[in-house]
Amino acid sequence: MSTTPLKVAVTGAAGQIGYSLLFRLASGSLLGADRPIELRLLEIEPALKALEGVVMELDDCAFPTLAGVQIGADAEEIFDGVNLALLVGARPRGPGMERGDLLSANGAIFTAQGKALNKVAASDVRIGVTGNPANTNALIAMTNAPDIPAERFSALTRLDHNRAISQLATKTGASVTDIKKVTIWGNHSATQYPDIFHAEIGGKNAAEVVNDRAWIADTFIPTVAKRGAAIIDARGSSSAASAASATVDAARDWLLGSAENDWVSMAVRSDGSYGVPEGLISSFPVTTKNGDWEIVQGLEIDEFSRARIDASTAELADERAAVTELGLI
Ligand SMILES: NC(=O)c1ccc[n+]([C@@H]2O[C@H](COP(=O)([O-])OP(=O)(O)OC[C@H]3O[C@@H](n4cnc5c(N)ncnc54)[C@H](O)[C@@H]3O)[C@@H](O)[C@H]2O)c1
Ligand SMILES: O=C(O)C[C@H](O)C(=O)O
């Protein structure tokens, strides 16, 4: 393995997710104990003092894999030469804000960051978007970075994927490691479709093992799709440690490859597979290898699944229309 540090940018680094994510990245959860990483942390000016405190804590951990940390508020300086950019920072929805206001506020952030990455990132850069609305933010960044291949952008649906595995494990008593080939389709929102009709538990079809269509339709799907809101309700703020963990899982599998006889869910640019309109950043079952991903082909989609995939991708098409109207893409 290379001993050259991987340069990893994290935006919104002084936020809640950042507080968990940075320590996972620095301690070797991404590429293991033998590959050093260098952190490049982007924040807005008013948050830089808090970020300095986080860096003091990173120093105090004396992580052997952490080869350096740079912080700042200038995207072009922070993204210079980065191999991986984890775009976490985004403006959360505040009281009285409409969806359009959120798209517009975050659109400005992802337009600027897409342009900066286009200008200064390393030629092998991979960009993972966690900040919401993740799929459409990724679309905005991708469109504003015309020199970076579109397949280098993805939005995070791995948290939903992990949530689905966990719910399925609890229902069936299986261990999470026995559960394979779960899929999240569509948007990282309440319209997402967590699909277990192709999933396996201990090598058997998961839907057959569950053998309870009503539980799938009325409990499993809404529980996974609305888990973010349930956590906000219980904790008073959105998921942070689990979102950070999923961000690491997604980046690690993207760079190092998904497991044999399994796949992961990633929101990536649609090539029209499974009737998802081309160009949308929509979640699919994908396999990954050497930093590339491939949509799993040939899965049979029945009427039940078709309706749910179509509903979520229609929402993504609406978001794309809204940001097009705002002149962001
Ligand atoms: N995709 C997912 O699964 C998932 C899961 C959980 C949360 N999220 C989303 O992740 C985002 C971050 O969540 P959080 O809990 O860390 O929020 P947070 O509010 O605690 O932190 C966000 C940070 O981003 C910073 N920021 C804002 N504008 C920025 C800019 N232009 N450049 C750099 N930094 C900027 C803020 O100063 C803040 O420190 C939110 O949009 C949240 O909804 C996504
Ligand atoms: O749902 C949210 O707003 C937060 C986050 O996207 C989540 O899925 O936990």
Side-chain angles (χ1 to χ4, degrees):
M1 177 164 294
S2 165
T3 51
T4 310
L6 187 88
K7 294 187 176 67
V8 182
V10 178
T11 71
Q16 281 205 89
I17 294 176
Y19 195 62
S20 178
L21 178 61
L22 303 185
F23 296 84
R24 296 286 303 277
L25 295 170
S27 64
S29 296
L30 185 66
L31 297 176
D34 297 328
R35 178 80 192 265
I37 75 159
E38 196 181 308
L39 288 175
R40 303 289 194 82
L41 309 179
L42 185 70
E43 257 297 348
I44 50 172
E45 283 291 345
L48 285 177
K49 185 161 188 298
L51 186 54
E52 280 171 19
V54 179
V55 174
M56 287 159 73
E57 288 204 68
L58 281 167
D59 288 345
D60 294 349
C61 292
F63 289 123
T65 36
L66 186 56
V69 185
Q70 185 184 335
I71 71 171
D74 180 327
E76 282 188 25
E77 264 176 34
I78 293 296
F79 290 156
D80 190 24
V82 296
N83 312 104
L84 175 68
L86 301 173
L87 307 187
V88 177
R91 171 136 179 233
R93 197 195 318 220
M97 270 178 96
E98 298 297 331
R99 192 178 191 83
D101 299 330
L102 190 67
L103 285 172
S104 160
N106 285 316
I109 295 174
F110 287 84
T111 304
Q113 292 182 358
K115 288 188 171 133
L117 285 163
N118 195 57
K119 212 162 155 190
V120 300
S123 60
D124 66 351
V125 69
R126 266 81 185 157
I127 298 138
V129 178
T130 297
N132 280 324
N135 301 52
T136 297
N137 287 340
L139 178 69
I140 294 169
M142 181 185 87
T143 312
N144 283 280
D147 302 328
I148 300 176
E151 63 271 17
R152 303 287 189 76
F153 288 82
S154 79
L156 189 75
T157 50
R158 182 59 174 266
L159 178 55
D160 313 291
H161 181 99
N162 290 347
R163 287 167 172 166
I165 290 175
S166 166
Q167 292 297 321
L168 203 48
T170 303
K171 168 76 175 169
T172 60
S175 117
V176 291
T177 52
D178 286 336
I179 298 175
K180 315 272 185 217
K181 300 183 180 174
V182 162
T183 304
I184 304 295
W185 299 93
N187 201 0
H188 171 67
S189 75
T191 68
Q192 68 177 263
Y193 171 44
D195 174 2
I196 62 165
F197 290 102
H198 307 284
E200 294 171 3
I201 302 179
K204 299 194 180 91
N205 180 276
E208 284 169 22
V209 173
V210 168
N211 194 25
D212 185 348
R213 287 287 280 221
W215 178 80
I216 294 171
D218 304 331
T219 302
F220 171 74
I221 294 173
T223 299
V224 174
K226 295 180 190 161
R227 187 72 162 180
I231 288 166
I232 291 171
D233 200 35
R235 232 171 70 81
S237 55
S238 67
S239 62
S242 56
S245 189
T247 299
V248 173
D249 287 346
R252 185 197 57 231
D253 287 348
W254 194 359
L255 297 179
L256 299 183
S258 49
E260 278 294 301
N261 196 34
D262 199 0
W263 62 62
V264 292
S265 301
M266 275 170 82
V268 294
R269 186 183 184 283
S270 174
D271 59 356
S273 291
Y274 297 102
V276 176
E278 201 178 334
L280 292 178
I281 303 276
S282 188
S283 188
F284 287 98
V286 301
T287 53
T288 56
K289 198 175 178 185
N290 300 327
D292 295 324
W293 52 263
E294 229 175 87
I295 295 173
V296 174
Q297 296 294 339
L299 302 178
E300 220 170 282
I301 304 296
D302 67 8
E303 242 176 76
F304 179 92
S305 295
R306 182 78 265 152
R308 284 164 176 77
I309 294 171
D310 287 350
S312 195
T313 55
E315 182 184 49
L316 283 172
D318 285 349
E319 289 183 15
R320 177 169 64 181
V323 295
T324 304
E325 200 166 303
L326 289 164
L328 297 167
I329 61 170

